[in-house]
Amino acid sequence: MKTKTISKRLFFTVCCGFVATLATLTACGGDDPEPDPTPKPTVSVALKSQSIAEGSEIDAKATTELLLTYTTSVKLASNADITLNGTKLTATRNPKDVTGIQIPLALEEGVDYTLIVRAGSVVANSDASASAPEFKLNFKTKPKAQPISNDATALTKKLGWGWNLGNHFDTSTGEDGKPYQWGFWDNAKPTQALYTNLKKAGASTVRIGVTWGNHQTGDDWTIDADYMAQVKQNVDWAEAAGLNVILNTHHDEYWLDIKEAASNNIVNNTIKNRLQKTWTQIAEAFKDKGDFLFFETFNEVQDGKWGWGGNLTDGGKQYNTLNEWNQVVVDAIRATGSKNATRWIGVPAYASSPAFALEDSFVLPSDPAKRIMVSVHFYDPSDFTLTPEKSGKSQWGHTAETGKYVAGSNEDHVVDIFKKLQEKFILNNIPVYVGEYGCVMHTSDRSNQFRNYYLEYVCRAAHTYNLPVVVWDNNVAGGGDEHHGYINHNDGTYLKGQESLVKTMIKAATSDDADYTLESVYNKAP
């Protein structure tokens, strides 16, 4: 009995073990499991940053690519699928950063865009099985700027590109009633041919700077009649040639002592009295001239420190004094009547600086005719445009070599200043003109390439922001500091090697060709 009982239990145990094993085999499919044919990625690919933010509004012309940066080194899959508004794009890996993908963009202004990088288009460089998820970006471009159309922009067209008869009538001894005895600084005798040839070249305006104090005598500050006749002759010649004329007081700064006037009411009143008498004579002499003639109250009034002197510490006294002087001149001109009742009058801020013109300290004169213009000069950066021999700054712009240019004064600076002038004044129907700009001839071919680029860029930027420009010309040929010669002051012929540059400046300052843009000039930098 005991033996049989043990056999039954053993049989039951063996059977149960076999059944359990069979059940296990049946549950596992019977055979060993197949390996997963798709290996798991060894790295992850996630977007780290993007150069265009979701929902942003960007500048179409300034934005030429989208840069996507990932958390690991990446590459583009052979079947990469990247589209912009449904149009397929071709991307490349960023050569400067193995974690970046560059997507070239050709955008239009005023358009809503959707860019999609499909899943699997960007993969890990070390493991192609690891890919970035789909990326979708919505953005739009700024609408195309609408042309400004008002009196200010109409005047821009009228003045166009201009030329300064520099160092002629503005010659100064710095003394009352004592003219310069050895001819004019430009060593020239202007003729009708000068103005006729300027017009043929494409100039629209001539700025004639005049120093009056050297030719004034007596308590009433009478201007010498012969000197006035010479000035009038040149205005007549310009009129006959069909040019506009800007006539001013130029190197009279020697008696326009703004620092002393700002701190002494007696001095200030004496100067204002002389200003009234001087400008009344000028205005009377020209009051019947047509609207081709423009008056400009002053040239570059400052205390000798060019904006870095007492004006910064006197609590605004010099600025207020210049505002007063501008008002005195405007009132004197308007009081003479005839065509002067509505003639355009240009007024400068301190030192004729755009920076000071943009400050609240500069207050425009009140004028019943509402025909006041703002006059500025632009020689930024002066280490390149005026004194390259002294400063050693022989290049300019985004392609200039380190150490050879003035930091912070390249293309962005030009655009920033001109755009701000447009926004403050021109959009509010107040004309602005650049009464002087320029750059001396440099002494090497390489440096003059940058000079030519600078002059073209400044002129094209001025046109873009509705500023007429008047180049400074002192009739000095050759290269080096103070060499500002372009056109012979006697007969209007070109000085050696300057014809092409003058034509380029005129085109840049006046052409309405939509394909001739600041960007196209920028892309031609040396």
Side-chain angles (χ1 to χ4, degrees):
M1 294 290 294
K2 291 181 181 179
T3 302
K4 291 181 180 178
T5 300
I6 293 171
S7 297
K8 288 180 180 177
R9 288 177 180 174
L10 180 60
F11 175 79
F12 178 79
T13 301
V14 171
C15 288
C16 287
F18 175 78
V19 171
T21 301
L22 181 61
T24 301
L25 290 174
T26 302
C28 293
D31 298 319
D32 291 338
E34 292 290 337
D36 188 344
T38 305
K40 294 181 179 180
T42 57
V43 293
S44 62
V45 183
L47 185 66
K48 184 178 179 181
S49 66
Q50 59 198 70
S51 60
I52 300 175
E54 171 66 25
S56 61
E57 182 178 68
I58 62 174
D59 188 313
K61 294 180 179 179
T63 308
T64 58
E65 70 176 16
L66 168 66
L67 179 61
L68 301 179
T69 304
Y70 292 87
T71 54
T72 189
S73 174
V74 293
K75 61 183 178 180
L76 289 158
S78 58
N79 61 342
D81 185 4
I82 303 173
T83 60
L84 180 67
N85 284 7
T87 300
K88 193 163 185 177
L89 302 180
T90 301
T92 58
R93 192 166 75 165
N94 185 355
K96 298 180 180 179
D97 183 358
V98 295
T99 66
I101 296 295
Q102 294 174 321
I103 305 174
L105 301 174
L107 305 174
E108 297 180 5
E109 294 175 308
V111 176
D112 290 341
Y113 285 103
T114 299
L115 184 142
I116 301 175
V117 181
R118 304 290 180 188
S121 296
V122 178
V123 299
N125 195 44
S126 60
D127 184 355
S129 67
S131 64
E134 180 173 287
F135 171 75
K136 186 174 183 180
L137 173 65
N138 296 292
F139 64 94
K140 61 183 178 180
T141 53
K142 296 176 182 178
K144 186 175 183 179
Q146 296 301 311
I148 304 168
S149 180
N150 57 20
D151 291 342
T153 56
L155 209 58
T156 296
K157 296 289 187 184
K158 178 180 173 68
L159 292 173
W161 181 85
W163 177 87
N164 272 277
L165 181 63
N167 285 177
H168 192 74
F169 289 117
D170 58 312
T171 300
S172 176
T173 62
E175 294 184 50
D176 295 337
K178 187 177 181 181
Y180 201 76
Q181 298 299 309
W182 298 278
F184 298 105
W185 285 340
D186 64 350
N187 297 309
K189 294 181 179 180
T191 61
Q192 177 67 69
L194 165 63
Y195 299 99
T196 300
N197 284 328
L198 280 167
K199 181 66 174 180
K200 286 181 180 178
S204 296
T205 300
V206 173
R207 181 171 176 261
I208 301 177
V210 183
T211 301
W212 303 95
N214 301 163
H215 302 268
Q216 287 181 300
T217 57
D219 294 337
D220 58 357
W221 304 109
T222 300
I223 298 170
D224 178 74
D226 289 341
Y227 185 66
M228 178 66 82
Q230 290 182 59
V231 175
K232 288 182 70 175
Q233 177 66 83
N234 280 260
V235 172
D236 289 344
W237 281 334
E239 179 184 16
L243 293 164
N244 302 299
V245 174
I246 299 172
L247 188 67
N248 75 355
T249 55
H250 205 87
H251 284 308
D252 289 280
E253 289 94 343
Y254 75 88
W255 59 268
L256 295 168
D257 189 340
I258 194 165
K259 185 174 182 179
E260 185 66 20
S263 60
N264 188 320
N265 285 337
I266 295 175
V267 172
N268 191 30
N269 288 335
T270 299
I271 290 175
K272 288 194 290 185
N273 178 58
R274 183 172 179 179
L275 276 173
Q276 193 276 332
K277 286 180 167 59
T278 300
W279 267 102
T280 296
Q281 293 175 74
I282 300 168
E284 283 286 351
F286 294 98
K287 69 179 182 180
D288 294 325
K289 287 293 186 183
D291 61 5
F292 77 92
L293 179 63
F294 298 74
F295 286 145
E296 179 182 274
T297 57
F298 303 104
N299 180 50
E300 294 168 338
V301 176
Q302 38 87 31
D303 65 6
K305 301 296 184 180
W306 295 100
W308 298 98
N311 59 295
L312 299 177
T313 58
D314 67 2
K317 289 181 180 180
Q318 289 191 49
Y319 304 143
N320 293 335
T321 300
L322 181 56
N323 292 335
E324 289 180 32
W325 291 358
N326 277 325
Q327 187 68 62
V328 167
V329 176
V330 169
D331 290 344
I333 293 170
R334 294 290 183 240
T336 60
S338 190
K339 299 294 180 63
N340 288 339
T342 56
R343 191 179 307 285
W344 283 99
I345 303 172
V347 299
Y350 195 81
S352 293
S353 164
F356 290 121
L358 291 167
E359 292 184 359
D360 292 340
S361 58
F362 176 52
V363 179
L364 294 177
S366 60
D367 177 31
K370 299 188 183 303
R371 287 200 159 193
I372 296 297
M373 310 165 63
V374 176
S375 168
V376 299
H377 294 177
F378 192 82
Y379 291 105
D380 294 356
S382 61
D383 281 353
F384 173 75
T385 63
L386 301 180
T387 58
E389 300 300 307
K390 295 177 183 177
S391 68
K393 302 303 181 184
S394 59
Q395 299 184 10
W396 180 87
H398 66 286
T399 60
E401 300 171 43
T402 301
K404 294 185 178 182
Y405 69 95
V406 180
S409 295
N410 291 332
E411 295 95 343
D412 288 348
H413 174 70
V414 177
V415 169
D416 180 61
I417 292 294
F418 289 1
K419 184 178 180 181
K420 286 178 179 176
L421 288 170
Q422 175 176 268
E423 290 171 346
K424 180 173 182 178
F425 298 109
I426 296 167
L427 284 173
N428 291 301
N429 207 22
I430 300 167
V432 182
Y433 65 99
V434 182
E436 289 183 23
Y437 80 96
C439 181
V440 298
M441 175 74 81
H442 288 233
T443 54
S444 75
D445 290 342
R446 178 63 172 163
S447 295
N448 278 318
Q449 290 176 359
F450 284 97
R451 174 206 186 214
N452 295 349
Y453 170 59
Y454 170 86
L455 291 171
E456 182 178 8
Y457 192 90
V458 167
C459 286
R460 199 58 186 161
H463 178 272
T464 301
Y465 294 101
N466 296 290
L467 306 173
V469 290
V470 189
V471 72
W472 180 253
D473 188 328
N474 64 1
N475 208 37
V476 180
D481 297 350
E482 286 299 326
H483 289 68
H484 285 279
Y486 301 91
I487 291 172
N488 188 304
H489 287 200
N490 295 293
D491 58 11
T493 55
Y494 293 105
L495 296 181
K496 185 178 179 180
Q498 298 305 301
E499 180 175 359
S500 176
L501 178 56
V502 169
K503 289 181 176 179
T504 295
M505 289 191 291
I506 292 173
K507 178 185 176 183
T510 62
S511 174
D512 291 325
D513 182 354
D515 294 327
Y516 183 32
T517 64
L518 265 183
E519 287 74 24
S520 69
V521 177
Y522 182 95
N523 292 333
K524 295 189 300 180

